[in-house]
Amino acid sequence: GGRWGARQAADRSESLVVPMTTSPSTTQPALATTASRLERFRTRSLGAFPSGERGRTMGCRDVVAGSTRRRARVLAAASIKPLDPKYDRPPDLKIAVVGAGPCGLATALALRHHGFGDVTVFDRFPEIRPALGAAFNLNGGAAVLDKLGLLPEFRAMNNPMRLVRSRRVDASGGPLDRLEIMTVDVPKIIADDPVARDALVSATDGEPLCGTVMRADLLRALADALPPESLMLGREVTGCATRTASNGPGDTAGAGRSVAALTFRDYPDGKETTEFFDLVVGADGIRGVVRESTFGKSPPKYGGVRIIFGCTAEGDPEAVNARPESEHGEAHQWFGDGCYALVYTAGGEGAKQHNVAVCIADETETDENAEWRCNGGRSSSKGKSDPAAARAACMEALERYAMPRDVVAVAERCERFFDVGVHYHDPMATWSDPRGCVTLAGDSAHAMPPFLGQGANQSLQDAWTLGEKLGKVRLAGRGAAVDAIAGVDYYGTVAEALAEYEETRKGPTSAIMLSSRVIGFVETGRGPVGWVR
C-alpha cells in the first residue's frame, strides 16, 4: 500500500506503456540509407561481441552470445523486399490455456486480441465459480482491461480507490494507539507522478485506472468477453509433455513439428484423453499441473503469515451500511503487534461489498486455497477450510489485537469467511520449455504474497505481454538485422517471442515478489519489527 506501492504498480507496467527492450532508435524515422543502417547495426551483430556481451537490435531482441534465441545477422547491403503479405500476421497456432482464473481468461482474450483465433481455455470445474475469493485492487491490471476493450465493464464493477489511511493499534491503550501513520490520496499520486500518470490514466476516458473489484465479478466479465466455444470447462488437465509431432491419431500439428500434449480427465466419467497443441500456457495457479509436468516438483513456500478474509453478501442493504458511505472509497489499514487488519469496499454502483482481511504472523502452515478446496478443489492436506472456524478465528483475532469497532462492525456483517496461508514461489530460471511449446503465466510462474496488492495486476500484465509478443511472431522472414533495418518488429520463432515475454516480465514480478515478502514481515511483525512501521 501507500505511495511506494502505487509507484510500484505503475513502474511494473512496462509492458503496457514502454517495453523494456525499447531503444531510442526504435522511434527514429526510416530516412537513412540501407548502407548506413547496416553500418549502424554492424557493431551489434554477434561477431562484434565478446562472449557474454549484450546488444540491441532496434529494441526487438537481445543478442546474447551462447543463448538459444535466434541470432541477429548482418547481411550485405541490398534492396529490401517487402514482407510477403501472407506473413503479415501471426501463424495459425492451436493454443491451450490451462486455468480459467483471471490470468487464464485474460490470456485467452489477449491472444485473440493479437490475432490468434484457435485459443481454448480448459478448467476442471464445470462452471466459472461464483462467490469465491475476496476483492482486490486493480491498477496495472485495469490498464490491461482498457486495452482489451473492457473498460466499460471495469468501470461498472469497480469501486474507485480514493484514499488509503494507515493507523496503529496499541492493545494496551498507550500513546501510539490510533496514531496516524500515513494518508494517501490515490488520484493525486497518479496525477502528480509522470510514470503513474502515463500508465494509470485511461487513454479512453481520461480517468484514473485504480479501483477495487470482487474476484467473481472480474471472472464473469472476462468469461463473458470470450466466445462460448473458447471455454472447455469440466476438463481437468492431469499432465503436459512436449514431443515431436508424427501425424499420428489426433496429431494434426504436422510431422516434425514440436507440440505439447495435454492429458485430460473428463467429468463426469473420469475418462482420460490426450490432445496436441502448438502452445500450452499454464495459468493454473500456484500448484499448477503444467508447471510441475514441465519443470518438475517445486512446492510453494509458506511465508509465515495467515490471512482470514471476510466478505459481505452481494445485494445485502444492511451489510452495505456497515461502513459509512463516505468511506466506501477508502481502504483502512490498522497495524497491531503481530496483526494487521484491512477494511475495504468493492463493487460498482448499487453492488457494494465490504471486505475485511486480518493478517496474523503464524508459523503453523495454512492452505493457500482453503475456500477453493472446500468447494471441490484438490486439498494440499494442510487446509483449515471450515468457514465457521474461519469466522470464529477472525472475530477472536480482532478482539485479541484490540482492533477498532469499525473493523469489527464490518466483520460482523460478513456472510462468507475463509482462512488462507500466504505462499509464494522463488523466481524461476525460465518459464518456458526450450521447444517453445509451453510457457507459464500468473501464479504458476511467480506466486507472490499479497501485501503489495499486485498478484492479480501482474497476472493480467503477463496475459497482455504474452499476447503482444506472440502476436509479432512471423514464421518466415529475412533475418533479424535486415528486418530491423526495414522497420519490421517481429520474432522469427515462437521460442524467441516467449524469451522476450520472459525478459519483459520476470524482472518486475521477481522484484514485487521479494518486496511483498519483506512488507508482509514488517506489517505483521511483533516487538521491535513493529517500530519499522
Side-chain angles (χ1 to χ4, degrees):
R3 179 180 298 269
W4 185 82
R7 179 59 185 263
Q8 283 281 95
D11 286 348
R12 303 311 178 190
S13 301
E14 295 94 341
S15 60
L16 300 179
V17 288
V18 183
M20 293 180 70
T21 51
T22 297
S23 72
S25 61
T26 308
T27 58
Q28 292 178 355
L31 299 177
T33 64
T34 299
S36 65
R37 290 176 183 171
L38 284 170
E39 177 60 25
R40 187 192 319 151
F41 286 103
R42 181 185 63 78
T43 56
R44 294 174 179 166
S45 65
L46 280 177
F49 281 92
S51 177
E53 287 195 20
R54 303 167 68 88
R56 299 282 185 190
T57 304
M58 286 293 287
C60 301
R61 284 163 292 272
D62 277 348
V63 180
V64 184
S67 74
T68 58
R69 72 183 63 183
R70 183 162 59 89
R71 272 66 166 166
R73 302 185 300 275
V74 174
L75 306 182
S79 60
I80 306 296
K81 295 180 179 180
L83 195 64
D84 190 320
K86 72 180 180 180
Y87 297 120
D88 193 24
R89 61 183 183 275
D92 294 327
L93 299 180
K94 182 182 179 182
I95 303 176
V97 179
V98 182
C103 181
L105 296 174
T107 296
L109 287 170
L111 289 167
R112 293 179 62 84
H113 178 89
H114 286 94
F116 297 96
D118 191 355
V119 182
T120 307
V121 180
F122 297 95
D123 198 276
R124 66 167 294 167
F125 290 112
E127 62 179 350
I128 301 296
R129 308 304 298 279
L132 286 184
F136 41 69
N137 185 266
L138 289 182
N139 32 74
V144 172
L145 297 180
D146 191 3
K147 287 179 174 287
L148 291 174
L150 296 178
L151 183 64
E153 288 79 359
F154 172 70
R155 296 296 187 209
M157 67 184 170
N158 97 103
N159 183 46
M161 178 71 72
R162 296 186 292 103
L163 202 69
V164 178
R165 294 188 65 190
S166 301
R167 287 165 282 184
R168 286 187 59 89
V169 174
D170 187 346
S172 66
L176 297 182
D177 192 34
R178 306 303 192 268
L179 174 69
E180 191 96 20
I181 300 174
M182 67 176 181
T183 299
V184 179
D185 185 330
V186 176
K188 187 176 187 302
I189 283 184
I190 294 174
D192 291 349
D193 187 304
V195 175
R197 187 170 61 247
D198 191 27
L200 301 179
V201 173
S202 171
T204 304
D205 64 10
E207 294 297 319
L209 292 163
C210 186
T212 307
V213 303
M214 294 300 296
R215 184 180 188 274
D217 291 342
L218 177 62
L219 285 180
R220 280 192 289 263
L222 293 171
D224 288 347
L226 285 168
E229 62 271 18
S230 290
L231 288 172
M232 293 294 292
L233 305 179
R235 299 199 72 189
E236 180 185 8
V237 173
T238 58
C240 177
T242 57
R243 48 161 286 187
T244 301
S246 60
N247 277 352
D251 190 340
T252 60
R257 287 179 62 184
S258 294
V259 295
L262 285 182
T263 303
F264 297 93
R265 180 181 295 118
D266 296 324
Y267 294 99
D269 56 13
K271 180 182 177 181
E272 286 205 342
T273 57
T274 299
E275 192 171 344
F276 299 93
F277 299 88
D278 296 301
L279 177 65
V280 168
V281 181
D284 47 344
I286 192 169
R287 299 181 189 271
V289 171
V290 175
R291 174 187 172 118
E292 182 174 315
S293 298
T294 306
F295 300 102
K297 290 187 176 182
S298 55
K301 296 181 177 180
Y302 179 54
V305 178
R306 60 186 283 217
I307 305 177
I308 309 169
F309 286 98
C311 307
T312 60
E314 185 175 358
D316 182 349
E318 294 186 15
V320 171
N321 295 329
R323 296 190 79 192
E325 187 174 353
S326 61
E327 295 181 356
H328 286 187
E330 301 180 3
H332 291 183
Q333 301 174 315
W334 295 92
F335 296 99
D337 189 27
C339 179
Y340 155 59
L342 172 68
V343 177
Y344 58 113
T345 302
E349 290 298 324
K352 302 298 184 189
Q353 290 180 257
H354 304 312
N355 293 249
V356 61
V358 181
C359 310
I360 307 167
D362 189 345
E363 293 303 317
T364 304
E365 185 171 357
T366 305
D367 198 319
E368 78 280 356
N369 272 322
E371 186 190 38
W372 177 76
R373 303 190 201 289
C374 183
N375 284 273
R378 272 180 321 197
S379 174
S380 65
S381 77
K382 296 181 179 180
K384 299 175 182 177
S385 56
D386 181 3
R391 179 187 183 93
C394 177
M395 303 309 295
E396 188 274 333
L398 294 178
E399 181 180 0
R400 184 188 348 148
Y401 293 101
M403 290 297 168
R405 176 61 199 170
D406 55 344
V407 179
V408 176
V410 173
E412 289 175 340
R413 294 301 312 178
C414 287
E415 176 195 52
R416 184 165 51 86
F417 288 84
F418 54 102
D419 192 347
V420 303
V422 172
H423 289 71
Y424 63 91
H425 279 304
D426 285 330
M428 298 178 69
T430 182
W431 297 352
S432 309
D433 78 304
R435 295 175 182 238
C437 296
V438 179
T439 194
L440 305 178
D443 283 353
S444 186
H446 51 70
M448 59 184 67
F451 300 106
L452 279 174
Q454 283 296 301
N457 287 289
Q458 296 306 308
S459 292
L460 294 183
Q461 291 185 85
D462 286 353
W464 177 263
T465 306
L466 179 59
E468 183 181 52
K469 299 301 182 184
L470 288 171
K472 295 179 180 179
V473 172
R474 303 293 185 267
L475 296 183
R478 300 155 303 206
V482 171
D483 286 319
I485 293 167
V488 178
D489 179 9
Y490 89 104
Y491 306 112
T493 66
V494 171
E496 184 182 350
L498 294 181
E500 290 297 328
Y501 156 64
E502 288 190 37
E503 181 175 329
T504 303
R505 298 298 303 142
K506 279 168 68 175
T509 55
S510 296
I512 291 174
M513 188 277 291
L514 294 170
S515 297
S516 295
R517 287 178 58 191
V518 173
I519 288 176
F521 172 73
V522 172
E523 288 184 342
T524 60
R526 297 186 178 95
V529 174
W531 289 98
V532 177
R533 296 192 290 269

